[in-house]
Amino acid sequence: DAGVIQSPRHEVTEMGQEVTLRCKPISGHDYLFWYRQTMMRGLELLIYFNNNVPIDDSGMPEDRFSAKMPNASFSTLKIQPSEPRDSAVYFCASSPKGLVGNTIYFGEGSWLTVV
Amino acid sequence: AQSVTQLDSHVSVSEGTPVLLRCNYSSSYSPSLFWYVQHPNKGLQLLLKYTSAATLVKGINGFEAEFKKSETSFHLTKPSAHMSDAAEYFCVVSDMRTGRRALTFGSGTRLQVQP
């Protein structure tokens, strides 16, 4: 089975440009997560969805960040306008339905550099 | 609130010697606990998980962890380190009763394996 698929794997963009990161979760998984990883702050949860509905977006850093999940097989994380401090690895992850102890499966990450 | 503390940011061992990566957690209820591994420039992969069944959990690649409620610990061990074990390891807690579906990550322990 295919895992969580993210694109692009690497992106270098100029400050002020719009960045869109894409994610295809594992088929049949009801939960989708966006995480950000930096040296300074480690892994942070940005937002997660259940059945395409955003449940908790308290980790989204500011209004420049937005995330959507138009259907069960696709999600985007958008940064507009981008800033150098947004440089990080962004991970998408998915998890099947259920409660305690369900494993979260991670994609390989999107490595973003804003110059 | 739930939290997890990884007691060592870096651990260095010689190939063939035992590995111990320490983790303490804090949770209001009975948690689920995980260890994830991240190899350089890769996504995160599940090593093992504890979900209130057996307190000694065996994972992939010869790793295991023991849940000790009295010590609020979930240390990761391996009898004999291999060069391919060099990576970053994350201890993770999930407390479903809070209603927050996502995981809380520790700050990570970087494992170096010397030849």
Side-chain angles (χ1 to χ4, degrees):
Chain A
D1 286 338
V4 176
I5 299 173
Q6 293 187 244
S7 65
R9 290 295 317 279
H10 299 271
E11 172 125 357
V12 180
T13 190
E14 291 185 348
M15 182 173 63
Q17 296 298 307
E18 178 180 292
V19 174
T20 300
L21 308 178
R22 298 173 177 78
C23 175
K24 176 177 169 44
I26 294 172
S27 177
H29 283 191
D30 286 352
Y31 290 85
L32 183 138
F33 307 83
W34 283 101
Y35 281 88
R36 178 173 67 177
Q37 185 178 38
T38 61
M39 290 291 292
M40 292 296 294
R41 300 173 69 91
L43 271 155
E44 303 173 278
L45 175 68
L46 299 178
I47 185 171
Y48 76 92
F49 296 82
N50 180 21
N51 291 323
N52 314 336
V53 177
I55 302 300
D56 185 347
D57 65 354
S58 59
M60 296 286 263
E62 48 198 276
D63 292 345
R64 298 186 296 107
F65 285 70
S66 62
K68 294 182 180 180
M69 193 166 184
N71 58 62
S73 59
F74 183 66
S75 176
T76 59
L77 177 68
K78 188 173 292 187
I79 308 172
Q80 167 64 18
S82 59
E83 297 182 2
R85 58 192 169 123
D86 301 330
S87 298
V89 185
Y90 291 83
F91 288 102
C92 178
S94 70
S95 179
K97 67 177 68 176
L99 295 175
V100 176
N102 262 318
T103 300
I104 293 183
Y105 297 84
F106 285 81
E108 298 250 305
S110 292
W111 301 70
L112 174 65
T113 303
V114 183
V115 298
Chain B
Q2 60 191 29
S3 66
V4 61
T5 302
Q6 292 184 243
L7 298 166
D8 306 293
S9 59
H10 289 86
V11 170
S12 182
V13 301
S14 298
E15 191 174 19
T17 64
V19 176
L20 170 64
L21 305 183
R22 299 181 295 164
C23 171
N24 287 110
Y25 71 91
S26 171
S27 177
S28 302
Y29 303 101
S30 297
S32 294
L33 293 158
F34 307 77
W35 277 97
Y36 279 81
V37 61
Q38 185 179 26
H39 287 93
N41 301 321
K42 294 290 187 182
L44 289 91
Q45 179 186 19
L46 180 70
L47 273 180
L48 49 81
K49 66 180 180 182
Y50 165 78
T51 57
S52 75
T55 56
L56 183 61
V57 181
K58 295 188 183 298
I60 62 172
N61 301 333
F63 284 94
E64 61 182 39
E66 186 171 7
F67 174 71
K68 292 186 177 180
K69 187 174 182 179
S70 61
E71 299 176 10
T72 61
S73 69
F74 190 58
H75 301 335
L76 180 71
T77 61
K78 183 174 180 177
S80 176
H82 191 273
M83 294 297 291
S84 61
D85 295 329
E88 184 109 21
Y89 292 79
F90 294 93
C91 183
V92 186
V93 64
S94 173
D95 182 350
M96 297 305 301
R97 289 207 198 185
T98 64
R100 198 160 188 269
R101 182 62 176 78
L103 308 177
T104 299
F105 282 77
S107 55
T109 298
R110 183 165 298 279
L111 176 64
Q112 289 182 311
V113 182
Q114 309 289 345

